[in-house]
Every structure is written in structure tokens, then in C-alpha cells.
Amino acid sequence: MILIHCPYCDEKRPELEFTYAGEAHIARPADPSTLSDEEWERYLFIRANPKGRHNERWRHSFGCGRFFNAVRDTVTDKFETTYKAGEPRK
Amino acid sequence: MADALLRCEPVPAAPAAYSGVTITLAPPMRRWSLRAKSRQALETHLGLSLPRKIGETLGDIACLGPDEWLWRAVDVEPKETGAGLPLSVVDVSERSVGIILEGHAARAMLNAGCPLDLERFAVGRMTRTIYEGVEIILSRESETRWSVDVWRSFAEHLLLSFTTVARNR
Ligand SMILES: [Zn+2]
């Protein structure tokens, strides 16, 4: 099992305590009603889906409960780093 | 409230002894969920010191998250719930059932379903974690005594899991 460093608990915890929550740094449009259907579709459904380095959200659901961000390689499944929600992209 | 606190179903009130571990119902306890962005605001409000690091306990209070504490004690009742303040003090006494696992095999038994490294889990620590898919609050009260708080509706399932492991050791 992978051990994931929770930036809030500041320790490595077993993967079973965490849940994946999709690509990180997707900002909700400030005024959705001004968007075209294509723009709204892009916000809701279209993701980078890279082969390799990926900034993504995780939640320490069975721990401190907090959402945070991680950089994980989608090929090797290795976590490069994790950082608190609200911090700039790494 | 008193009646509800004494309700222990579905965990039997009588201790169950197995090889190396005894499974007992924890004494009735009040539980308060304390939430605030600012620890100092809660400390001022309650007139108490709160643990600073996640996982640590101070007196009867454990820090479960960056803005979350759990106050468990046999008989406590904060005077004010903090209405109007940027914090919350919520009575969650009835939500959980406490189960005590005691004995030299208790740690191994817990690790049958909990992925945390319990050998390095120090006495006095408390954390939210998982046992076979069930959310639990786990604390180590001594080298061989562990306490598990579980939401009431999951208790029967968890207890069955515990006793199955204990029987088959
Ligand atoms: Zn955490």
C-alpha cells in the first residue's frame, strides 16, 4: 500500500485513509450564467488527463478530513509532493 | 440524554474474553465536537487549553484535524455552545459507541483491519482512521489498552469483525 504524506497531519499515512478527488486547481467560473454551453462543458468535464506529472486533489477522509493537493506521476503512481489547499500549484 | 448515554446496543455490555484480548464496552461518555478556525477562540470560549498538533491529546481533548477537536469525558457539559461566535461546540454523545480492546494481542488484532502502523502509535495518541472500511476514532490508552469509538450504526458490523479476528487468532 502507498503511504501518502498528509500536509495537515504532517505524516505519512496509509492510502486506505485517503480518497481521490480529481484534477486540482480547477477554478469555478465566477459567473456561470455568462458562459456558453461549450465553456461550461469545459469547466465541468474536460480535464488535462496527462500521462505523467499530475496535480490532483486528495482528501484525508479517514484522518483529519481535509482536502489537499498532490503531485503524482500517473505512470509510476509515485507521489512527488503534497501541499495544502490554497497554496500555489507545485 | 442520560438514557441515551447508557444505551449500548448493539455492543453487549458483558466483556468478551478471547486469547490475548478482552473486548469490553467503554463506560458511558459525553462527546463534544469542537470546531473553529482559530484554536485560541475555542480556548478562550471554553476556558481550556487545546492540544496543538493533530493526533495529540491534552486532558480529555484530542486534536483530530486542523480545525477539529473531540472532547470525551464521563461528565462534561460546556456552559455555552458558542452561538454567534465563529466556532461550534456540538454534543455528539449519542452518535458513537465506545469499545475497549485490552490485552497483549490487541494491537495485532487491530492491525488485522486497520492499516496504520500501530507499533509506532504512541500511548496517548488519538486519531480518526479506518478499520475494514469503517470509520473509527482510535486511541491508545496504554501499551495494551486501546479505545475505539465507532458510529452506532456501524457498531454491530465492527464488533462482528473484531470478534471474528479475536476468535481466529
Ligand atoms: Zn491528514
Short mmCIF file of all heavy atoms in Angstrom, two decimals, chain A residues 44-77:
data_model
loop_
_atom_site.label_atom_id
_atom_site.label_comp_id
_atom_site.label_asym_id
_atom_site.label_seq_id
_atom_site.Cartn_x
_atom_site.Cartn_y
_atom_site.Cartn_z
N LEU A 44 -16.84 21.74 -16.52
CA LEU A 44 -17.37 20.59 -15.78
C LEU A 44 -16.64 19.28 -16.08
O LEU A 44 -16.36 18.50 -15.17
CB LEU A 44 -18.86 20.39 -16.12
CG LEU A 44 -19.88 21.32 -15.49
CD1 LEU A 44 -21.27 20.90 -15.92
CD2 LEU A 44 -19.77 21.29 -13.97
N PHE A 45 -16.34 19.07 -17.37
CA PHE A 45 -15.94 17.71 -17.76
C PHE A 45 -14.55 17.55 -18.35
O PHE A 45 -14.00 16.47 -18.33
CB PHE A 45 -16.95 17.15 -18.78
CG PHE A 45 -18.35 17.14 -18.29
CD1 PHE A 45 -19.32 17.93 -18.88
CD2 PHE A 45 -18.72 16.35 -17.21
CE1 PHE A 45 -20.63 17.92 -18.42
CE2 PHE A 45 -20.01 16.33 -16.74
CZ PHE A 45 -20.97 17.12 -17.34
N ILE A 46 -14.00 18.61 -18.95
CA ILE A 46 -12.76 18.43 -19.70
C ILE A 46 -11.54 18.59 -18.78
O ILE A 46 -11.37 19.63 -18.15
CB ILE A 46 -12.68 19.42 -20.88
CG1 ILE A 46 -13.96 19.36 -21.71
CG2 ILE A 46 -11.44 19.14 -21.75
CD1 ILE A 46 -14.30 17.99 -22.29
N ARG A 47 -10.72 17.55 -18.71
CA ARG A 47 -9.57 17.57 -17.81
C ARG A 47 -8.28 17.30 -18.58
O ARG A 47 -8.31 16.75 -19.69
CB ARG A 47 -9.75 16.49 -16.71
CG ARG A 47 -10.92 16.76 -15.78
CD ARG A 47 -10.70 18.01 -14.95
NE ARG A 47 -11.82 18.34 -14.07
CZ ARG A 47 -12.76 19.26 -14.35
NH1 ARG A 47 -12.71 19.93 -15.49
NH2 ARG A 47 -13.74 19.50 -13.50
N ALA A 48 -7.15 17.66 -17.99
CA ALA A 48 -5.86 17.55 -18.67
C ALA A 48 -5.49 16.08 -18.94
O ALA A 48 -4.92 15.76 -19.97
CB ALA A 48 -4.78 18.22 -17.83
N ASN A 49 -5.80 15.21 -17.98
CA ASN A 49 -5.55 13.77 -18.11
C ASN A 49 -4.15 13.45 -18.63
O ASN A 49 -4.01 12.72 -19.62
CB ASN A 49 -6.62 13.17 -19.05
CG ASN A 49 -6.63 11.65 -18.96
OD1 ASN A 49 -6.26 11.08 -17.93
ND2 ASN A 49 -7.04 10.99 -20.03
N PRO A 50 -3.10 13.98 -17.99
CA PRO A 50 -1.75 13.78 -18.54
C PRO A 50 -1.22 12.37 -18.28
O PRO A 50 -1.65 11.69 -17.34
CB PRO A 50 -0.91 14.79 -17.75
CG PRO A 50 -1.61 14.89 -16.44
CD PRO A 50 -3.08 14.73 -16.73
N LYS A 51 -0.30 11.98 -19.14
CA LYS A 51 0.47 10.76 -18.88
C LYS A 51 1.75 11.24 -18.21
O LYS A 51 2.65 11.75 -18.87
CB LYS A 51 0.76 10.06 -20.20
CG LYS A 51 1.48 8.74 -20.05
CD LYS A 51 1.63 8.06 -21.41
CE LYS A 51 2.35 6.73 -21.27
NZ LYS A 51 2.50 6.08 -22.58
N GLY A 52 1.80 11.13 -16.89
CA GLY A 52 2.97 11.64 -16.16
C GLY A 52 2.55 12.51 -14.98
O GLY A 52 1.63 12.16 -14.24
N ARG A 53 3.21 13.66 -14.86
CA ARG A 53 3.02 14.53 -13.70
C ARG A 53 1.62 15.13 -13.66
O ARG A 53 1.20 15.77 -14.62
CB ARG A 53 4.07 15.63 -13.81
CG ARG A 53 4.46 16.28 -12.51
CD ARG A 53 5.64 17.22 -12.77
NE ARG A 53 6.08 17.84 -11.52
CZ ARG A 53 5.53 18.93 -11.01
NH1 ARG A 53 4.52 19.51 -11.62
NH2 ARG A 53 5.98 19.43 -9.86
N HIS A 54 0.93 14.95 -12.53
CA HIS A 54 -0.46 15.40 -12.44
C HIS A 54 -0.71 16.09 -11.10
O HIS A 54 -0.45 15.51 -10.04
CB HIS A 54 -1.39 14.18 -12.58
CG HIS A 54 -2.84 14.53 -12.72
ND1 HIS A 54 -3.83 13.82 -12.10
CD2 HIS A 54 -3.46 15.50 -13.43
CE1 HIS A 54 -5.02 14.36 -12.42
NE2 HIS A 54 -4.82 15.38 -13.22
N ASN A 55 -1.23 17.33 -11.16
CA ASN A 55 -1.66 18.00 -9.92
C ASN A 55 -3.09 17.57 -9.65
O ASN A 55 -3.98 17.79 -10.47
CB ASN A 55 -1.62 19.52 -10.09
CG ASN A 55 -0.20 20.04 -10.16
OD1 ASN A 55 0.49 19.84 -11.16
ND2 ASN A 55 0.26 20.69 -9.12
N GLU A 56 -3.30 16.98 -8.48
CA GLU A 56 -4.64 16.43 -8.21
C GLU A 56 -5.04 16.64 -6.75
O GLU A 56 -4.22 16.88 -5.88
CB GLU A 56 -4.66 14.94 -8.56
CG GLU A 56 -3.56 14.14 -7.89
CD GLU A 56 -3.33 12.77 -8.53
OE1 GLU A 56 -3.67 12.59 -9.71
OE2 GLU A 56 -2.81 11.88 -7.83
N ARG A 57 -6.36 16.56 -6.53
CA ARG A 57 -6.89 16.74 -5.17
C ARG A 57 -7.03 15.38 -4.50
O ARG A 57 -7.40 14.40 -5.13
CB ARG A 57 -8.26 17.42 -5.21
CG ARG A 57 -8.26 18.80 -5.83
CD ARG A 57 -9.67 19.25 -6.08
NE ARG A 57 -10.28 19.77 -4.85
CZ ARG A 57 -11.53 19.57 -4.51
NH1 ARG A 57 -12.33 18.85 -5.26
NH2 ARG A 57 -12.01 20.07 -3.39
N TRP A 58 -6.75 15.39 -3.23
CA TRP A 58 -6.99 14.21 -2.41
C TRP A 58 -7.64 14.68 -1.12
O TRP A 58 -7.55 15.84 -0.76
CB TRP A 58 -5.67 13.49 -2.08
CG TRP A 58 -5.13 12.69 -3.24
CD1 TRP A 58 -4.44 13.18 -4.31
CD2 TRP A 58 -5.25 11.28 -3.43
NE1 TRP A 58 -4.12 12.15 -5.16
CE2 TRP A 58 -4.60 10.99 -4.65
CE3 TRP A 58 -5.83 10.24 -2.70
CZ2 TRP A 58 -4.53 9.69 -5.16
CZ3 TRP A 58 -5.75 8.95 -3.20
CH2 TRP A 58 -5.11 8.69 -4.42
N ARG A 59 -8.29 13.74 -0.45
CA ARG A 59 -8.86 14.08 0.84
C ARG A 59 -8.44 13.04 1.87
O ARG A 59 -8.52 11.83 1.60
CB ARG A 59 -10.39 14.13 0.76
CG ARG A 59 -11.02 14.52 2.07
CD ARG A 59 -12.52 14.76 1.95
NE ARG A 59 -13.03 15.04 3.28
CZ ARG A 59 -13.99 14.35 3.89
NH1 ARG A 59 -14.58 13.35 3.27
NH2 ARG A 59 -14.37 14.66 5.12
N HIS A 60 -7.99 13.49 3.01
CA HIS A 60 -7.63 12.57 4.09
C HIS A 60 -8.92 12.22 4.85
O HIS A 60 -9.09 12.58 6.01
CB HIS A 60 -6.58 13.22 5.01
CG HIS A 60 -5.93 12.24 5.92
ND1 HIS A 60 -5.09 12.61 6.94
CD2 HIS A 60 -5.99 10.88 5.98
CE1 HIS A 60 -4.68 11.53 7.59
NE2 HIS A 60 -5.21 10.48 7.03
N SER A 61 -9.79 11.51 4.14
CA SER A 61 -11.15 11.27 4.64
C SER A 61 -11.18 10.57 6.00
O SER A 61 -11.92 10.94 6.90
CB SER A 61 -11.93 10.40 3.66
OG SER A 61 -11.60 10.72 2.34
N PHE A 62 -10.39 9.50 6.12
CA PHE A 62 -10.36 8.74 7.37
C PHE A 62 -9.13 9.17 8.17
O PHE A 62 -8.26 8.36 8.49
CB PHE A 62 -10.36 7.24 7.09
CG PHE A 62 -11.56 6.79 6.31
CD1 PHE A 62 -11.49 6.55 4.95
CD2 PHE A 62 -12.78 6.62 6.94
CE1 PHE A 62 -12.60 6.16 4.23
CE2 PHE A 62 -13.90 6.22 6.23
CZ PHE A 62 -13.81 5.99 4.87
N GLY A 63 -9.06 10.46 8.43
CA GLY A 63 -7.93 11.05 9.15
C GLY A 63 -8.38 12.41 9.59
O GLY A 63 -9.43 12.55 10.21
N CYS A 64 -7.64 13.45 9.15
CA CYS A 64 -8.01 14.81 9.56
C CYS A 64 -9.19 15.35 8.78
O CYS A 64 -9.73 16.40 9.12
CB CYS A 64 -6.80 15.73 9.43
SG CYS A 64 -6.26 15.93 7.72
N GLY A 65 -9.58 14.66 7.69
CA GLY A 65 -10.76 15.07 6.95
C GLY A 65 -10.52 16.14 5.90
O GLY A 65 -11.44 16.52 5.17
N ARG A 66 -9.29 16.63 5.81
CA ARG A 66 -9.01 17.78 4.93
C ARG A 66 -8.71 17.41 3.48
O ARG A 66 -8.08 16.40 3.21
CB ARG A 66 -7.80 18.55 5.48
CG ARG A 66 -8.18 19.58 6.52
CD ARG A 66 -9.20 20.50 5.95
NE ARG A 66 -9.70 21.44 6.94
CZ ARG A 66 -9.45 22.75 6.87
NH1 ARG A 66 -8.69 23.26 5.93
NH2 ARG A 66 -9.97 23.55 7.78
N PHE A 67 -9.16 18.29 2.57
CA PHE A 67 -8.73 18.23 1.17
C PHE A 67 -7.35 18.85 1.07
O PHE A 67 -7.05 19.83 1.77
CB PHE A 67 -9.68 19.02 0.28
CG PHE A 67 -10.94 18.27 -0.09
CD1 PHE A 67 -12.10 18.43 0.66
CD2 PHE A 67 -10.96 17.43 -1.19
CE1 PHE A 67 -13.26 17.74 0.32
CE2 PHE A 67 -12.11 16.75 -1.54
CZ PHE A 67 -13.28 16.90 -0.78
N PHE A 68 -6.51 18.29 0.20
CA PHE A 68 -5.21 18.91 -0.07
C PHE A 68 -4.85 18.56 -1.52
O PHE A 68 -5.59 17.86 -2.20
CB PHE A 68 -4.14 18.40 0.91
CG PHE A 68 -3.91 16.91 0.87
CD1 PHE A 68 -2.94 16.35 0.05
CD2 PHE A 68 -4.70 16.07 1.64
CE1 PHE A 68 -2.73 14.98 0.02
CE2 PHE A 68 -4.51 14.69 1.60
CZ PHE A 68 -3.54 14.14 0.78
N ASN A 69 -3.73 19.09 -1.99
CA ASN A 69 -3.30 18.81 -3.35
C ASN A 69 -2.03 17.96 -3.35
O ASN A 69 -1.25 18.00 -2.40
CB ASN A 69 -3.05 20.11 -4.11
CG ASN A 69 -4.34 20.89 -4.32
OD1 ASN A 69 -5.41 20.31 -4.49
ND2 ASN A 69 -4.25 22.21 -4.29
N ALA A 70 -1.86 17.22 -4.44
CA ALA A 70 -0.69 16.37 -4.58
C ALA A 70 -0.18 16.44 -6.00
O ALA A 70 -0.94 16.74 -6.93
CB ALA A 70 -1.04 14.93 -4.22
N VAL A 71 1.12 16.17 -6.16
CA VAL A 71 1.66 15.96 -7.49
C VAL A 71 2.02 14.48 -7.56
O VAL A 71 2.83 14.00 -6.78
CB VAL A 71 2.92 16.81 -7.75
CG1 VAL A 71 3.43 16.55 -9.17
CG2 VAL A 71 2.61 18.28 -7.55
N ARG A 72 1.34 13.77 -8.48
CA ARG A 72 1.56 12.32 -8.61
C ARG A 72 1.85 12.01 -10.07
O ARG A 72 1.31 12.65 -10.97
CB ARG A 72 0.30 11.57 -8.16
CG ARG A 72 0.41 10.05 -8.20
CD ARG A 72 -0.90 9.40 -7.74
NE ARG A 72 -2.02 9.77 -8.61
CZ ARG A 72 -2.47 9.01 -9.60
NH1 ARG A 72 -1.94 7.83 -9.84
NH2 ARG A 72 -3.49 9.43 -10.36
N ASP A 73 2.74 11.07 -10.27
CA ASP A 73 3.02 10.62 -11.63
C ASP A 73 2.03 9.52 -12.00
O ASP A 73 1.97 8.49 -11.33
CB ASP A 73 4.46 10.10 -11.71
CG ASP A 73 4.90 9.87 -13.15
OD1 ASP A 73 4.20 9.13 -13.88
OD2 ASP A 73 5.93 10.44 -13.57
N THR A 74 1.26 9.77 -13.06
CA THR A 74 0.19 8.81 -13.39
C THR A 74 0.74 7.53 -14.04
O THR A 74 0.01 6.57 -14.22
CB THR A 74 -0.85 9.44 -14.34
OG1 THR A 74 -0.19 9.85 -15.54
CG2 THR A 74 -1.53 10.63 -13.70
N VAL A 75 2.03 7.55 -14.40
CA VAL A 75 2.63 6.34 -14.98
C VAL A 75 3.18 5.44 -13.87
O VAL A 75 2.89 4.25 -13.82
CB VAL A 75 3.76 6.71 -15.98
CG1 VAL A 75 4.42 5.44 -16.52
CG2 VAL A 75 3.21 7.55 -17.11
N THR A 76 3.93 6.07 -12.93
CA THR A 76 4.58 5.26 -11.90
C THR A 76 3.75 5.19 -10.62
O THR A 76 4.06 4.40 -9.73
CB THR A 76 5.94 5.89 -11.52
OG1 THR A 76 5.70 7.20 -11.00
CG2 THR A 76 6.86 5.98 -12.73
N ASP A 77 2.73 6.02 -10.51
CA ASP A 77 1.91 6.12 -9.29
C ASP A 77 2.71 6.66 -8.10
O ASP A 77 2.32 6.51 -6.96
CB ASP A 77 1.28 4.77 -8.93
CG ASP A 77 -0.01 4.93 -8.13
OD1 ASP A 77 -0.58 6.04 -8.15
OD2 ASP A 77 -0.42 3.97 -7.47
#
